[in-house]
Amino acid sequence: MSVAETREFNPGLFLAGGPLPVGSLSPHLLILNQPITSFEVFSRLWKHTQYRICADGGANRLYDMLDGTLKAAREDYLPNAIHGDLDSLRDDVRQYYTSHGVEVSQDHDQYSTDFGKAMKKISLIHSPSSQREILVLGTLAGRIDQGIGLLHEMIREETRDTKLRLWLFSESSVSFILKSTHNVIRGTASTGFFTENIGLLPIYGPAIITTSGLEWDVKDWETQMGHQVSTSNHIAAEEIHVQTSAPILFTVERTPLATSVQTRVDPESA
């Protein structure tokens, strides 16, 4: 398998306290209208991103998280934009962010979600040929239809733009799409950011997979929802290799990061 045919993933880079490696793409951060359950995860994702956008009521979530002992840090975490149909954005939140120079823009399209609207907004700051990494701060809890809808929108966006890669940071996991090629996942065993628990989920249709680096590896294994699925597998090596014939969702459980919410936080050193 040539290097050109291999896709590499290292989700631990975005959770590290230090800077991204030299030469890495600087991702964007998309905050959805869902609870932000960990300030530490949020602040590290913020640190590693260059453009931050709230999808409509995601601005409410950001504003409300930075309250109490964190209220003094609210001005340190001003997004670049708030975008959507704005039916969820509270008046007090809108007034606060507009008074601090944050762009607030509206899209009345009734055939797209606020996630889709925000993705379209992000696309305007890129050339069509450029690589893009977007960290999505959201959830798969709550309403099942919305969680499945989010996973649907992830594959739709990556299918539309082959140079796009989405990373979903939910309450306890990091999830991303493995395409029909050779995929290598690094940094999950030694960084301390993840547990051993992973899943290979064929939610986008049937696939045939071959793996190495897992406790229960498979070879030319047919996987399909309603048939056999590799959930609750375990990491057994520093590198995980997955060859798949069709897109599948890879998900790995995070370990809790240390909490330090009692003091003012510098977003450049979080």
Side-chain angles (χ1 to χ4, degrees), residues 91-259:
D91 289 341
D92 62 319
V93 175
R94 180 170 186 164
Q95 180 179 5
Y96 175 81
Y97 284 119
T98 54
S99 70
H100 285 78
V102 175
E103 176 191 2
V104 178
S105 54
Q106 189 171 29
D107 185 338
H108 294 285
D109 180 13
Q110 294 302 303
Y111 295 95
S112 63
T113 64
D114 285 323
F115 175 90
K117 292 177 175 67
M119 290 296 299
K120 183 178 179 181
K121 176 81 169 177
I122 294 173
S123 70
L124 298 177
I125 64 175
H126 284 276
S127 68
S129 61
S130 63
Q131 297 283 344
R132 288 188 291 157
E133 304 257 0
I134 300 178
L135 314 183
V136 180
L137 191 57
T139 181
L140 293 177
R143 285 176 50 183
I144 293 176
D145 58 332
Q146 290 185 342
I148 294 176
L150 176 56
L151 298 178
H152 151 72
E153 292 196 273
M154 287 176 62
I155 189 68
R156 182 197 64 205
E157 294 295 331
E158 288 202 12
T159 300
R160 286 177 177 175
D161 184 353
T162 58
K163 296 184 179 297
L164 170 68
R165 181 178 295 179
L166 294 166
W167 306 78
L168 174 60
F169 288 79
S170 53
E171 299 88 343
S172 59
S173 302
V174 182
S175 306
F176 44 91
I177 297 169
L178 304 184
K179 297 292 184 63
S180 51
T181 185
H182 176 217
N183 301 272
V184 182
I185 301 95
R186 296 188 172 93
T188 54
S190 62
T191 59
F193 298 137
F194 305 99
T195 74
E196 64 179 2
N197 300 316
I198 68 100
L200 299 166
L201 307 177
I203 61 172
Y204 304 117
I208 300 173
I209 63 174
T210 297
T211 69
S212 66
L214 301 177
E215 183 171 352
W216 296 286
D217 279 321
V218 295
K219 181 176 177 59
D220 297 329
W221 195 66
E222 295 183 5
T223 180
Q224 181 178 353
M225 301 300 286
H227 295 271
Q228 52 188 10
V229 177
S230 182
T231 58
S232 302
N233 211 324
H234 293 160
I235 298 168
E238 183 59 27
E239 286 192 0
I240 300 169
H241 294 257
V242 180
Q243 179 79 42
T244 177
S245 65
I248 61 174
L249 188 74
F250 182 96
T251 183
V252 58
E253 185 182 36
R254 290 189 290 100
T255 56
L257 292 178
T259 302

